[in-house]
């Protein structure tokens, strides 16, 4: 299985089934610009790909407008453009499958591949045989169709009333309504829908590394109507199990008037890269552990927008939070490292925060039924620089623990553990990052 430029271990529905398939495959090759995706963690071979701006080529937008893409910076390390990776693999296979014969992959430049693609459009409704990279360089972006001998593309399709069908007539398809593949019932009485956040993109492999893009939605949560929360005797911030027939996920509850009674909303971006733990004793794989793998028969698009779920309070009274300022160059690596600690908790999440470099950092939040072993907490705290030199308070019997680091007279990191009251100071303590402590550090650590 060769996966390029997509993240199925986050984005496909019914993640338990997806992961079983990935583990069963004899060889999983992942070709991606980011090693931090959930799918990259399951790869046998990881091929580093060049990202946009690191390669040459063209891009076509939804207006049918083709633009030239020029390399702005060279790819880092061993990363290569996608076409170059494919050509290199093909040539190595040829040596075994077609020994001594001329290569079927003679490409040395991306323009050669584009010219072959251009020829494949000849005589079709997307004909671009009159277009060239030289035209795109000289005249700028152009719309298809752009057939041979044309002087410009076609801004509006079908103006002549002739459509790309056998008889030239438009074809309308009347699609009858079909109910969701999975209806609610007494065991799963809520309708879960998923969708986008304003500032995030797909699985967040790129956008999920910038603290300022978490200003709109700072942490993973499940949104419910305020009356739904009240009916279930839940408060904002309470941890809940969100469970479907396929999996379970623990999340904090949030109130939203945009969600109707009887419904729940979880953003599609909250995959195992950001949130995990164990839901009802099963491993949790993010929001798509819950979704249905029924598909539309024509488009094969999964029914990601509707699943039947139940919501129950999660009995995880022991809480833990660690946060601190992190150099921008180290943030992505640290975020990736902290994900390996998720499995120790009943709930865990790790997200960046901060709107500028001076206040940027990482927030690790977790909960469990009982205090987690000290070695795990020490490893997390060490990642934030909360080592033996940090001010500390500990009551092992009660599972209460506090750490605070002050460098050059300014607070740079902290960790709090215990009951809900013992970690409550996080709300104001995080606002003090980068500032001198208002009182001696040891007083900030005192319980209550």
């Amino acid at each position: 299985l060769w996966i390029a430029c997509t993240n199925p271990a986050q984005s496909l529905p019914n993640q338990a089934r997806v992961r079983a398939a990935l583990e069963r495959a004899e060889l999983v090759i992942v070709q991606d610009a980011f090693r931090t995706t959930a799918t990259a963690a399951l790869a046998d071979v990881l091929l580093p790909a060049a990202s946009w701006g690191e390669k040459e080529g063209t891009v076509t937008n939804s207006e049918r407008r083709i633009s030239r893409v020029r390399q702005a910076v060279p790819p880092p390390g061993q990363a290569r453009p996608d076409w170059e990776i494919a050509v290199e693999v093909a040539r190595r296979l040829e040596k075994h499958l077609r020994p001594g014969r001329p290569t079927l992959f003679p490409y040395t430049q991306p323009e050669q591949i584009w010219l072959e693609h251009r020829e494949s459009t000849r005589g079709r409704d997307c004909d671009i045989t009159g277009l060239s990279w030289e035209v795109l360089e000289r005249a700028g972006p152009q719309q298809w169709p752009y057939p041979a001998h044309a002087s410009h593309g076609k801004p509006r399709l079908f103006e002549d009333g002739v459509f790309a069908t056998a008889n030239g007539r438009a074809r309308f398809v009347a699609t009858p309504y079909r109910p969701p593949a999975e209806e609610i019932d007494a065991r799963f009485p809520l309708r879960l829908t998923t969708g986008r956040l304003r500032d995030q993109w797909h699985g967040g492999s790129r956008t999920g590394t910038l603290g300022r893009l978490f200003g709109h939605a700072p942490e993973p949560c499940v949104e419910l109507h305020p009356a739904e929360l009240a009916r279930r005797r839940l408060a904002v911030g309470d941890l809940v199990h969100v469970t479907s027939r396929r999996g379970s996920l623990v999340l904090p509850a949030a109130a939203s008037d945009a969600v109707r009674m009887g419904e729940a909303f979880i953003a599609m971006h909250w995959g195992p890269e950001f949130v995990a733990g164990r839901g009802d004793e099963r491993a949790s794989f993010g929001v798509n552990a819950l979704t249905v793998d029924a598909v539309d028969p024509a488009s094969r698009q999964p029914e990601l927008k509707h699943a039947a779920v139940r919501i129950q309070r999660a009995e995880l009274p022991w809480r833990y939070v660690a946060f601190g300022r992190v150099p921008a160059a180290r943030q992505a690596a640290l975020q990736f490292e902290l994900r390996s600690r998720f499995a120790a908790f009943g709930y865990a999440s790790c997200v960046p925060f901060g709107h500028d470099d001076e206040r940027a950092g990482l927030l690790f939040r977790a909960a469990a039924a009982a205090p987690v072993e000290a070695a795990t907490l020490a490893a997390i705290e060490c990642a934030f620089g909360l080592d033996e030199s940090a001010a500390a308070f500990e009551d092992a019997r009660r599972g209460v623990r506090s750490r605070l680091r002050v460098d050059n007279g300014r607070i740079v990191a902290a960790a709090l553990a215990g009951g809900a009251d013992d970690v409550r100071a996080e709300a104001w303590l995080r606002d003090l990052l980068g500032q001198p402590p208002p009182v001696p550090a040891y007083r900030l650590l005192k319980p209550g």
Side-chain angles (χ1 to χ4, degrees):
L1 178 64
W2 191 345
I3 301 165
C5 195
T6 190
N7 188 15
Q10 189 276 340
S11 60
L12 287 183
N14 194 354
Q15 275 294 309
R17 185 182 185 195
V18 172
R19 285 162 181 268
L22 289 171
E23 289 165 5
R24 183 180 176 183
E26 295 87 350
L27 176 66
V28 177
I29 303 167
V30 174
Q31 181 173 321
D32 206 299
F34 298 89
R35 72 181 182 97
T36 54
T37 67
T39 308
L42 301 171
D44 298 303
V45 177
L46 186 59
L47 300 176
S51 183
W52 194 90
E54 296 170 352
K55 53 191 176 183
E56 293 282 330
T58 63
V59 64
T60 308
N61 69 9
S62 55
E63 194 192 21
R64 298 174 286 108
R65 198 176 293 276
I66 303 169
S67 302
R68 274 283 281 118
V69 175
R70 299 168 187 83
Q71 186 184 59
V73 293
Q78 299 181 57
R80 303 187 191 183
D82 292 301
W83 72 267
E84 196 173 313
I85 293 173
V87 166
E88 177 67 18
V89 171
R91 287 175 180 171
R92 292 190 188 195
L93 287 173
E94 278 187 316
K95 292 177 182 178
H96 300 279
L97 300 176
R98 309 174 68 250
R101 300 175 66 183
T103 182
L104 296 173
F105 301 88
Y107 316 104
T108 59
Q109 298 294 329
E111 187 176 8
Q112 295 170 288
I113 298 171
W114 187 85
L115 290 171
E116 184 174 304
H117 159 67
R118 181 183 71 175
E119 184 58 32
S120 74
T121 69
R122 188 178 295 276
R124 297 163 60 196
D125 57 322
C126 58
D127 192 327
I128 57 169
T129 52
L131 199 54
S132 67
W133 278 22
E134 190 275 329
V135 170
L136 293 174
E137 294 278 9
R138 184 184 71 249
Q142 301 295 314
Q143 288 176 290
W144 63 257
Y146 198 119
H149 310 301
S151 59
H152 55 79
K154 195 168 188 177
R156 187 178 180 86
L157 295 177
F158 315 128
E159 284 182 306
D160 56 1
V162 178
F163 292 81
T165 59
N167 61 6
R169 298 182 66 184
R171 184 182 302 143
F172 289 86
V173 179
T175 305
Y177 169 77
R178 292 191 306 160
E182 182 177 74
E183 267 297 352
I184 58 173
D185 58 23
R187 290 180 60 228
F188 300 95
L190 289 172
R191 302 178 187 275
L192 172 70
T193 188
T194 66
R196 298 180 182 275
L197 295 173
R198 186 191 71 191
D199 297 338
Q200 296 295 337
W201 178 254
H202 290 190
S205 55
R206 185 192 297 269
T207 56
T209 62
L210 295 173
R212 61 181 175 271
L213 296 183
F214 285 76
H216 174 237
E219 297 182 54
C221 67
V222 54
E223 296 183 19
L224 298 163
H225 191 278
E228 190 73 57
L229 284 174
R231 188 168 74 86
R232 297 174 178 276
R233 298 182 180 179
L234 294 170
V236 171
D238 284 352
L239 291 174
V240 297
H241 292 281
V242 186
T243 305
S244 75
R245 291 177 175 86
R246 291 153 298 282
S248 188
L249 181 62
V250 177
L251 286 171
S256 173
D257 289 324
V259 181
R260 296 185 296 185
M261 285 287 291
E263 294 182 356
F265 173 83
I266 302 175
M268 59 176 278
H269 319 284
W270 300 132
E273 295 91 337
F274 299 103
V275 60
R278 302 197 69 81
D280 71 358
E281 301 307 314
R282 290 179 284 181
S284 155
F285 303 123
V287 59
N288 284 316
L290 310 172
T291 48
V292 185
D293 52 9
V295 297
D296 173 77
S299 70
R300 313 303 294 171
Q301 173 68 21
E303 192 167 287
L304 293 163
K305 301 297 181 185
H306 187 283
V309 299
R310 63 171 175 262
I311 288 183
Q312 300 165 296
R313 184 186 301 275
E315 299 300 334
L316 300 171
W318 184 83
R319 304 297 174 91
Y320 179 74
V321 60
F323 52 90
R325 292 176 58 185
V326 180
R330 188 168 169 263
Q331 180 179 301
L334 179 57
Q335 196 174 344
F336 182 63
E337 175 190 333
L338 289 171
R339 271 166 46 189
S340 66
R341 305 293 175 182
F342 282 177
F345 302 90
Y347 164 77
S349 68
C350 184
V351 293
F353 64 84
H355 288 270
D356 53 61
D357 291 342
E358 288 297 311
R359 298 177 62 81
L362 282 178
L363 170 66
F364 184 98
R365 190 185 302 282
V372 170
E373 63 179 32
T376 298
L377 304 183
I380 294 169
E381 289 157 8
C382 189
F384 283 100
L386 294 163
D387 51 23
E388 295 82 359
S389 63
F393 170 86
E394 189 160 4
D395 183 343
R397 184 180 61 82
R398 293 176 52 232
V400 175
R401 178 185 180 101
S402 304
R403 297 286 187 278
L404 185 71
R405 184 173 188 88
V406 180
D407 284 349
N408 300 318
R410 296 179 180 274
I411 297 173
V412 294
L416 304 167
D421 285 344
D422 298 305
V423 300
R424 202 170 43 176
E426 179 246 333
W428 57 266
L429 195 54
R430 192 145 53 97
D431 286 339
L432 295 177
L433 285 178
Q435 300 181 37
V439 294
Y442 71 87
R443 290 188 59 191
L444 295 179
L445 300 179
K446 293 176 69 174

